[in-house]
Amino acid sequence: MVQRYDRLKDIQRLDPERDFLEIYRLTVSYEFPWDITRALELALYRTYAVPGIGRLLDETTELTGRSQKRYDDTALLLDTVVEHGFDTDEGRTAVRRINQMHRSYDISNDDMRYVLCTFVVTPKRWLDEYGWRRLSNHELRAFAAYYRTLGARMGIRDLPQSYEDFERTLDTYEREHFGWDEGARRVSDATLALMASWYPAPLAPVVRGASLALLDDSLLRAFRYQRPGPVARGLTRGALRLRARAVRLLPPRRKPHYARQNPEIKGYPDGYEIAALGTFPTPGVRGCPVPGHRRPSDVPVE
């Protein structure tokens, strides 16, 4: 019978530079599927506090007008690479879709690199606080290698090389760029409303309050939210730590769990085509300055 820490032992037998995809897949789909989902939600949410990013997201209206679809598409595209790898038809199609969307807008390399950093750093910090164990050094090296690879395939320049580099880049960028923007606040409010919508209506205020209680002071200041009181913070964070203790006592997961299996993914009850996920911006509309974008039926599969 597989014991609770046996998979970590398997991970530590792998080479984090050569086997980074296998390590990342084991970590996110076996060891921490629920926690990584929450951490990546928070990672993307953090990016709204950079006014240039939050303002653009507001201008596209994707997150304010079609929040559930945007959530679904982002999670499914990112997780396709995890499940299938970079060099499969599915993985290449997902990365191509991500690139087509990003290249439709005037996004700086620095902003793109910062978003990538949130995917590396936020899960580690979440698991430090709320995971049933912390990430090992092997896993941190594999996370850095995984996102270096993704970043390179997205054409992002000057990529951080180690976890420590990702962390320094993120902290510096947030200190220099976090700030108020009215559009970013609309995106933030829409995201909090989306998360609340996943639960019965009477629980919506509780979910919103718990979500705010998980935000650090830099995010609260950027969005001009009132700081939650110590009771709300204590109850929310205490509940997550109690969950971690309970999970530690459970037997390890025997089958992988991918984002497409999450109950929060609601927009594709009959399945989906990877090449049709995401947005297909119209030139000159909602902030899209780049001509020549094609609809799903026109997108070739490599």
Side-chain angles (χ1 to χ4, degrees):
M1 182 176 177
V2 179
Q3 300 299 311
R4 197 66 180 102
Y5 287 87
D6 285 352
R7 190 162 286 114
L8 175 59
K9 295 175 184 176
D10 292 338
I11 287 170
Q12 291 174 326
R13 295 187 188 101
L14 298 171
D15 185 320
E17 298 299 324
R18 183 192 64 226
D19 305 318
F20 63 86
L21 175 60
E22 181 64 13
I23 293 173
Y24 188 78
R25 184 183 289 135
L26 288 170
T27 301
V28 305
S29 64
Y30 283 92
E31 296 285 78
F32 303 106
W34 187 88
D35 290 282
I36 294 296
T37 296
R38 304 286 83 79
L40 292 180
E41 290 168 355
L42 180 58
L44 288 169
Y45 181 88
R46 295 193 74 82
T47 68
Y48 311 162
V50 175
I53 297 174
R55 188 181 308 120
L56 175 61
L57 291 170
D58 179 58
E59 290 172 355
T60 67
T61 72
E62 290 297 326
L63 272 167
T64 52
R66 299 195 299 172
S67 302
Q68 184 67 60
K69 184 181 187 317
R70 174 60 187 260
Y71 176 90
D72 292 351
D73 290 352
T74 300
L76 292 171
L77 285 169
L78 289 172
D79 210 56
T80 294
V81 183
V82 179
E83 183 171 1
H84 298 284
F86 288 99
D87 296 319
T88 62
D89 288 343
E90 296 90 343
R92 287 195 297 269
T93 301
V95 173
R96 184 168 61 250
R97 277 275 56 232
I98 292 168
N99 287 337
Q100 287 170 335
M101 288 186 288
H102 286 132
R103 289 169 184 164
S104 302
Y105 302 99
D106 186 15
I107 307 173
S108 72
N109 186 75
D110 287 349
D111 280 352
M112 293 279 285
R113 184 176 57 217
Y114 164 66
V115 174
L116 196 73
C117 288
T118 67
F119 297 161
V120 179
V121 178
T122 308
K124 190 265 187 189
R125 291 179 174 176
W126 175 278
L127 292 170
D128 282 351
E129 291 289 331
Y130 310 120
W132 65 267
R133 67 168 175 85
R134 296 189 173 196
L135 292 177
S136 66
N137 183 62
H138 247 56
E139 290 166 309
L140 291 177
R141 290 174 63 192
F143 272 48
Y146 180 89
Y147 282 104
R148 281 201 316 269
T149 303
L150 179 60
R153 296 192 180 212
M154 293 175 65
I156 302 174
R157 302 182 305 278
D158 303 320
L159 291 165
Q161 295 302 299
S162 66
Y163 171 81
E164 292 75 16
D165 291 339
F166 276 99
E167 188 171 49
R168 280 191 294 269
T169 302
L170 177 138
D171 288 338
T172 299
Y173 208 69
E174 290 187 349
R175 282 195 302 270
E176 295 176 351
H177 292 86
F178 267 18
W180 162 257
D181 181 83
E182 185 176 350
R185 170 61 186 258
R186 283 193 290 269
V187 174
S188 172
D189 287 341
T191 300
L192 294 174
L194 171 66
M195 293 177 178
S197 75
W198 296 334
Y199 301 88
L203 293 178
V206 177
V207 174
R208 178 183 171 86
S211 299
L212 290 172
L214 292 174
L215 303 185
D216 59 54
D217 288 345
S218 65
L219 283 172
L220 294 168
R221 287 193 299 269
F223 294 124
R224 297 184 181 176
Y225 289 128
Q226 183 176 351
R227 191 175 191 270
V231 173
R233 281 190 160 182
L235 288 174
T236 301
R237 299 179 183 198
L240 287 171
R241 293 185 180 113
L242 283 174
R243 175 192 173 276
R245 293 176 186 173
V247 172
R248 191 180 299 123
L249 299 176
L250 295 175
R253 184 178 296 277
R254 294 185 178 183
K255 296 181 180 179
H257 181 95
Y258 295 107
R260 59 180 169 75
Q261 299 167 288
N262 289 345
E264 297 85 8
I265 304 293
K266 298 181 180 299
Y268 300 99
D270 300 319
Y272 56 90
E273 294 182 12
I274 300 168
L277 293 173
T279 60
F280 293 82
T282 302
V285 177
R286 294 177 180 171
C288 175
V290 181
H293 297 289
R294 294 175 287 183
R295 303 301 300 176
S297 59
D298 302 319
V299 177
V301 177
E302 293 178 355

